[in-house]
Amino acid sequence: MKKKFYIVALAVLGFVGTMSAQNNPECTTNLSIYSEHVKVKNYEAAYTPWKMVYDNCPSLHKANFAYGERILNYKIEKATGAEKEGFFKDLMDLYDASLVHFPSNFTVAGVAADKGIAMYDNKMGSEQEIFEVLDKGFTQDKANFSNPKALYIYFTELVELHNAGSKDLQEVFDTYDNVMEQIGVENKKLTDRIEQLLPKEDAGTITSKEKRILAADSQNSETYGKIEGSIDSKLGALADCSNLIPLYQKNFEEKKSDITWVKRAVNRMFNKECTDDPMFKKLLDAQLAMEPTADLYVYLGYLEMKANKTSSAVSYFNKAVDLETDKYKKSDLLYKIATSYSRSSRSNARSYAQKAIDANSSNGKAYLLIATLYANSANDCGATAFDKRAMYWKAAEIARQAGRVDPSLSGRSNQAVTSYMSKAPSKEMIFSSGMAGKTVTFNCWVGGSVKVPNL
């Protein structure tokens, strides 16, 4: 009992001491001083008063951590050798302390992302150490792990560890799927807001605040798209059929009852066009026995189509669409069906791509597919060379919309637009044909028309 009294007394004294420190007038004065220095980016002058407050009154204000990060990054950049390492250690300690003193303002994932990026940028950790920091943040607090650069570094370090022989290929694929799913979740939040604001922008009723939100969301979505492309490039040849098939053959007996593994394996083999190998059908059958989801019927329909069993394929496709109720998932299913038709029937492919857009107007991939279908039909639509090449204006128009509704696709959208516009009639062709300002009508499956630009 006496021992318990001492413990309680020490706790009370500690609490009083802490409260006294937070009410220290010198801390309040120095907080004001360093804050003003930080606002004008005079980090050198901010360091000493910040250090006094941080050391003595860490819980006084969250600026101790938000501004402290900027101050220490400045000191790290200017220092060398042991001094640089000292400031870097202070930064790592600051990140950890932020969770202790302001748990409602900082997250486990956010701190892990900040630490991982700092270690990567300053070359202050091995690939294994950086990966472990980010992996801990991702696995413990995935919902808040949204920093695109941290997601890229996380996957990059894993690939490097695999290349060095310390991580197996299955872990690379699992992490790739997890990271891509997270990017999809974060980008969906952005495109949902964009979807609501674009009609207002078109109608001219958007407010200045909404315009800023639209610009920020578009920029952030574009960043996620770039990161997604970089991660895909990093995965590279590791996901080729020559690697996928032996891996799935090797792990099938052990993993065939793991529905997540089976579904991801099926999806990856479909996306990488490894569907001719018997392993694809084996995986489909395994999923069918456990969880016959809507997308499974898309894959079955695809196989039937390849076997020229059109009626059976359509039946599977319709079953897939009927099963799915979530508009985003339904849109993705319809897009997959559209891609299945893209080689055999362009009109059916467009029909399903348009249905995908109708289900989710932010499905930029469906717009890109329609643009590709139009561009590939240029030689089949039009009696003259000018009319044929005019099709590329229509393709460019559709491709441009893809990047608008889903800025994460801006890179692909811009690339497609540039390619199509380079194939459309030149100014010289427009002048010599006398078609400036006139309309070209397409008497083929595409239908519709396009107005020739004025010179």
Side-chain angles (χ1 to χ4, degrees), residues 68-117:
E69 178 186 31
R70 300 188 205 176
I71 294 166
L72 288 173
N73 274 322
Y74 168 84
K75 299 294 281 186
I76 291 168
E77 183 182 352
K78 297 298 180 183
T80 58
E83 186 181 33
K84 185 184 186 82
E85 292 178 5
F87 285 129
F88 183 80
K89 182 180 182 305
D90 290 343
L91 179 63
M92 295 294 103
D93 291 341
L94 177 139
Y95 286 138
D96 290 333
S98 68
L99 287 171
V100 175
H101 296 286
F102 290 93
S104 62
N105 296 104
F106 299 92
T107 65
V108 170
V111 166
D114 288 337
K115 291 177 71 173
I117 291 171

Coordinates of all heavy atoms in Angstrom, one line a residue, residues 68-117:
G68 N 8.5 22.5 -36.2 CA 9.7 21.9 -35.9 C 10.3 21.0 -37.0 O 11.5 21.0 -37.3
E69 N 9.4 20.4 -37.8 CA 9.8 19.6 -38.9 C 10.5 20.4 -40.0 O 11.5 20.1 -40.5 CB 8.5 18.9 -39.5 CG 8.8 18.1 -40.8 CD 7.6 17.5 -41.4 OE1 6.6 18.2 -41.3 OE2 7.7 16.4 -42.0
R70 N 9.9 21.6 -40.2 CA 10.5 22.5 -41.2 C 11.9 23.0 -40.8 O 12.8 23.1 -41.5 CB 9.6 23.7 -41.5 CG 8.2 23.4 -42.0 CD 7.5 24.7 -42.3 NE 6.0 24.5 -42.3 CZ 5.2 25.5 -42.5 NH1 5.6 26.7 -42.7 NH2 3.9 25.3 -42.4
I71 N 11.9 23.4 -39.5 CA 13.2 23.9 -38.9 C 14.3 22.8 -39.0 O 15.4 23.1 -39.4 CB 13.0 24.3 -37.5 CG1 12.0 25.5 -37.4 CG2 14.3 24.7 -36.8 CD1 11.5 25.9 -36.0
L72 N 14.0 21.6 -38.6 CA 15.0 20.5 -38.6 C 15.4 20.1 -40.0 O 16.5 19.8 -40.3 CB 14.5 19.3 -37.8 CG 14.4 19.5 -36.3 CD1 13.8 18.3 -35.6 CD2 15.8 19.7 -35.7
N73 N 14.4 20.1 -40.9 CA 14.8 19.8 -42.3 C 15.7 20.8 -42.9 O 16.7 20.5 -43.6 CB 13.5 19.8 -43.2 CG 12.8 18.4 -43.2 OD1 13.5 17.4 -43.2 ND2 11.5 18.4 -43.2
Y74 N 15.6 22.1 -42.5 CA 16.5 23.1 -42.9 C 17.9 22.9 -42.3 O 18.9 23.0 -43.0 CB 16.0 24.5 -42.4 CG 17.0 25.6 -42.5 CD1 17.2 26.3 -43.7 CD2 17.8 26.0 -41.4 CE1 18.1 27.3 -43.8 CE2 18.7 27.0 -41.5 CZ 18.9 27.7 -42.7 OH 19.8 28.7 -42.8
K75 N 17.9 22.5 -41.0 CA 19.2 22.3 -40.4 C 19.9 21.1 -41.0 O 21.2 21.1 -41.1 CB 19.0 22.1 -38.9 CG 18.4 23.3 -38.1 CD 19.3 24.5 -38.1 CE 20.4 24.4 -37.1 NZ 21.2 25.6 -37.0
I76 N 19.2 20.1 -41.3 CA 19.7 18.9 -41.9 C 20.3 19.2 -43.3 O 21.4 18.8 -43.6 CB 18.6 17.8 -42.1 CG1 18.2 17.2 -40.8 CG2 19.1 16.6 -43.0 CD1 17.0 16.4 -40.8
E77 N 19.6 20.0 -44.1 CA 20.1 20.4 -45.4 C 21.4 21.2 -45.3 O 22.3 21.1 -46.2 CB 19.0 21.3 -46.1 CG 19.4 21.7 -47.5 CD 18.3 22.5 -48.1 OE1 17.2 22.7 -47.6 OE2 18.6 23.1 -49.2
K78 N 21.5 22.0 -44.3 CA 22.7 22.9 -44.2 C 23.9 22.2 -43.5 O 25.0 22.6 -43.6 CB 22.4 24.2 -43.4 CG 21.3 25.0 -44.0 CD 21.8 25.5 -45.4 CE 20.7 26.4 -46.1 NZ 21.1 26.9 -47.4
A79 N 23.7 21.1 -42.7 CA 24.7 20.5 -42.0 C 25.4 19.4 -42.7 O 24.9 18.9 -43.8 CB 24.1 20.0 -40.7
T80 N 26.5 18.9 -42.2 CA 27.3 17.8 -42.8 C 27.8 16.9 -41.6 O 27.8 17.3 -40.5 CB 28.5 18.3 -43.6 OG1 29.3 19.1 -42.7 CG2 28.1 19.1 -44.8
G81 N 28.2 15.7 -42.0 CA 28.8 14.8 -41.1 C 28.0 14.5 -39.8 O 26.7 14.3 -39.9
A82 N 28.6 14.5 -38.7 CA 28.0 14.1 -37.4 C 26.9 15.1 -37.1 O 25.9 14.7 -36.5 CB 29.0 14.0 -36.3
E83 N 27.1 16.3 -37.4 CA 26.1 17.3 -37.1 C 24.8 17.0 -37.8 O 23.7 17.1 -37.3 CB 26.6 18.7 -37.4 CG 25.6 19.8 -37.0 CD 26.1 21.2 -37.3 OE1 26.8 21.4 -38.4 OE2 25.8 22.2 -36.5
K84 N 24.9 16.7 -39.1 CA 23.8 16.3 -39.9 C 23.0 15.1 -39.4 O 21.8 15.1 -39.3 CB 24.2 16.0 -41.4 CG 23.1 15.8 -42.4 CD 23.7 15.4 -43.7 CE 22.6 15.3 -44.8 NZ 22.2 16.6 -45.3
E85 N 23.8 14.1 -39.0 CA 23.2 12.9 -38.4 C 22.5 13.2 -37.1 O 21.4 12.7 -36.8 CB 24.3 11.9 -38.1 CG 24.9 11.3 -39.4 CD 26.0 10.3 -39.1 OE1 26.3 10.0 -37.9 OE2 26.7 9.8 -40.1
G86 N 23.0 14.2 -36.3 CA 22.4 14.6 -35.1 C 21.0 15.3 -35.3 O 20.0 14.9 -34.6
F87 N 21.0 16.1 -36.3 CA 19.7 16.8 -36.6 C 18.7 15.8 -37.2 O 17.5 15.9 -36.9 CB 20.0 18.0 -37.6 CG 20.6 19.2 -37.0 CD1 21.7 19.8 -37.6 CD2 20.0 19.8 -35.8 CE1 22.3 20.9 -37.0 CE2 20.6 20.9 -35.3 CZ 21.7 21.5 -35.9
F88 N 19.2 14.8 -37.9 CA 18.3 13.8 -38.5 C 17.7 13.0 -37.4 O 16.5 12.7 -37.4 CB 19.1 13.0 -39.5 CG 18.2 12.0 -40.2 CD1 17.4 12.3 -41.3 CD2 18.1 10.6 -39.7 CE1 16.5 11.4 -41.9 CE2 17.3 9.7 -40.4 CZ 16.5 10.1 -41.4
K89 N 18.5 12.6 -36.4 CA 18.0 11.8 -35.3 C 16.9 12.7 -34.5 O 15.9 12.1 -34.1 CB 19.1 11.5 -34.3 CG 18.6 10.6 -33.1 CD 19.8 10.2 -32.2 CE 19.3 9.3 -31.1 NZ 18.1 9.9 -30.3
D90 N 17.2 14.0 -34.4 CA 16.2 14.8 -33.7 C 14.9 14.8 -34.5 O 13.8 14.8 -33.9 CB 16.7 16.3 -33.7 CG 17.9 16.4 -32.6 OD1 18.0 15.5 -31.8 OD2 18.6 17.4 -32.7
L91 N 15.0 14.8 -35.9 CA 13.8 14.8 -36.7 C 13.0 13.5 -36.5 O 11.8 13.5 -36.4 CB 14.1 15.0 -38.1 CG 13.0 14.9 -39.1 CD1 12.0 16.1 -38.9 CD2 13.5 15.0 -40.6
M92 N 13.7 12.3 -36.5 CA 13.0 11.1 -36.2 C 12.4 11.0 -34.9 O 11.2 10.5 -34.7 CB 14.1 9.9 -36.3 CG 14.7 9.7 -37.7 SD 13.5 9.2 -39.0 CE 13.3 10.8 -39.8
D93 N 13.0 11.6 -33.8 CA 12.5 11.6 -32.5 C 11.2 12.5 -32.5 O 10.3 12.2 -31.8 CB 13.5 12.1 -31.5 CG 14.6 11.1 -31.3 OD1 14.5 9.9 -31.6 OD2 15.7 11.5 -30.8
L94 N 11.3 13.6 -33.2 CA 10.2 14.5 -33.3 C 8.9 13.9 -33.9 O 7.8 14.0 -33.4 CB 10.6 15.8 -34.1 CG 9.4 16.8 -34.3 CD1 10.0 18.2 -34.2 CD2 8.8 16.7 -35.7
Y95 N 9.1 13.1 -34.9 CA 8.0 12.4 -35.5 C 7.4 11.4 -34.5 O 6.1 11.4 -34.4 CB 8.5 11.6 -36.8 CG 8.8 12.4 -38.0 CD1 9.9 12.2 -38.8 CD2 7.9 13.5 -38.3 CE1 10.1 13.0 -39.9 CE2 8.2 14.3 -39.5 CZ 9.3 14.0 -40.2 OH 9.5 14.8 -41.4
D96 N 8.2 10.7 -33.8 CA 7.7 9.7 -32.8 C 6.9 10.5 -31.7 O 5.9 10.1 -31.2 CB 8.8 8.9 -32.2 CG 9.3 7.9 -33.2 OD1 8.6 7.5 -34.1 OD2 10.5 7.5 -33.1
A97 N 7.5 11.6 -31.2 CA 6.9 12.4 -30.1 C 5.6 13.0 -30.5 O 4.8 13.2 -29.6 CB 7.9 13.4 -29.7
S98 N 5.4 13.3 -31.8 CA 4.2 13.9 -32.2 C 3.0 13.0 -31.9 O 1.9 13.5 -31.5 CB 4.2 14.2 -33.7 OG 4.2 13.0 -34.5
L99 N 3.1 11.7 -32.0 CA 2.1 10.8 -31.7 C 1.8 10.8 -30.2 O 0.6 10.5 -29.8 CB 2.4 9.4 -32.1 CG 2.4 9.1 -33.6 CD1 3.0 7.8 -34.0 CD2 1.0 9.2 -34.2
V100 N 2.8 11.0 -29.4 CA 2.6 11.0 -27.9 C 1.9 12.3 -27.4 O 0.9 12.2 -26.6 CB 4.0 10.9 -27.2 CG1 3.8 11.0 -25.7 CG2 4.7 9.6 -27.6
H101 N 2.3 13.4 -27.9 CA 1.7 14.7 -27.4 C 0.5 15.2 -28.2 O -0.3 15.9 -27.6 CB 2.8 15.8 -27.5 CG 4.0 15.5 -26.6 ND1 4.0 15.6 -25.3 CD2 5.3 15.0 -26.9 CE1 5.1 15.3 -24.7 NE2 5.9 14.9 -25.7
F102 N 0.3 14.8 -29.4 CA -0.8 15.2 -30.2 C -1.4 14.1 -31.0 O -1.4 14.1 -32.3 CB -0.5 16.4 -31.1 CG -0.2 17.7 -30.4 CD1 1.1 18.0 -30.0 CD2 -1.3 18.5 -30.0 CE1 1.3 19.2 -29.3 CE2 -1.0 19.7 -29.3 CZ 0.3 20.0 -28.9
P103 N -1.9 13.0 -30.3 CA -2.4 11.8 -31.1 C -3.6 12.1 -32.0 O -3.9 11.4 -32.9 CB -2.7 10.9 -29.9 CG -3.0 11.7 -28.7 CD -2.0 12.9 -28.9
S104 N -4.3 13.2 -31.7 CA -5.5 13.5 -32.5 C -5.1 14.3 -33.8 O -5.9 14.4 -34.7 CB -6.5 14.3 -31.7 OG -6.0 15.6 -31.3
N105 N -3.9 14.8 -33.8 CA -3.5 15.6 -35.0 C -2.5 14.8 -35.9 O -2.3 15.2 -37.1 CB -2.8 16.9 -34.5 CG -3.7 17.8 -33.8 OD1 -3.6 17.9 -32.5 ND2 -4.6 18.5 -34.5
F106 N -1.9 13.7 -35.4 CA -1.0 13.0 -36.2 C -1.4 11.5 -36.1 O -1.9 11.0 -35.1 CB 0.5 13.1 -35.6 CG 1.0 14.6 -35.6 CD1 0.8 15.4 -34.6 CD2 1.6 15.1 -36.8 CE1 1.2 16.7 -34.6 CE2 2.0 16.4 -36.8 CZ 1.8 17.2 -35.7
T107 N -1.1 10.8 -37.2 CA -1.5 9.4 -37.3 C -0.3 8.5 -37.4 O 0.8 8.9 -37.8 CB -2.4 9.1 -38.6 OG1 -1.6 9.4 -39.7 CG2 -3.6 10.0 -38.5
V108 N -0.5 7.2 -37.1 CA 0.6 6.2 -37.2 C 1.1 6.2 -38.7 O 2.3 6.2 -38.9 CB 0.2 4.9 -36.8 CG1 1.2 3.8 -37.1 CG2 -0.1 4.9 -35.3
A109 N 0.2 6.2 -39.6 CA 0.6 6.1 -41.0 C 1.3 7.4 -41.5 O 2.3 7.3 -42.2 CB -0.7 5.9 -41.9
G110 N 0.8 8.5 -41.0 CA 1.4 9.8 -41.4 C 2.8 9.9 -40.9 O 3.7 10.4 -41.6
V111 N 3.0 9.5 -39.7 CA 4.4 9.6 -39.1 C 5.3 8.6 -39.8 O 6.4 8.9 -40.1 CB 4.3 9.3 -37.6 CG1 5.7 9.0 -37.0 CG2 3.7 10.4 -36.8
A112 N 4.8 7.4 -40.1 CA 5.6 6.4 -40.8 C 6.0 6.9 -42.2 O 7.1 6.8 -42.6 CB 4.9 5.1 -40.9
A113 N 5.0 7.6 -42.9 CA 5.3 8.1 -44.2 C 6.3 9.2 -44.1 O 7.3 9.2 -44.9 CB 4.0 8.7 -44.8
D114 N 6.2 10.1 -43.2 CA 7.2 11.2 -43.0 C 8.6 10.6 -42.7 O 9.6 11.1 -43.3 CB 6.8 12.1 -41.9 CG 5.6 13.0 -42.2 OD1 5.3 13.2 -43.5 OD2 4.9 13.4 -41.3
K115 N 8.7 9.6 -41.8 CA 10.0 9.1 -41.5 C 10.6 8.3 -42.7 O 11.8 8.5 -43.0 CB 9.8 8.1 -40.3 CG 9.5 8.8 -39.0 CD 9.3 7.8 -37.9 CE 10.5 7.1 -37.4 NZ 10.4 6.3 -36.2
G116 N 9.8 7.6 -43.4 CA 10.3 6.8 -44.5 C 10.8 7.7 -45.6 O 11.8 7.5 -46.2
I117 N 10.0 8.8 -45.9 CA 10.4 9.8 -46.9 C 11.7 10.5 -46.5 O 12.6 10.7 -47.4 CB 9.3 10.8 -47.2 CG1 8.1 10.1 -47.9 CG2 9.8 12.0 -48.1 CD1 6.9 11.0 -48.0

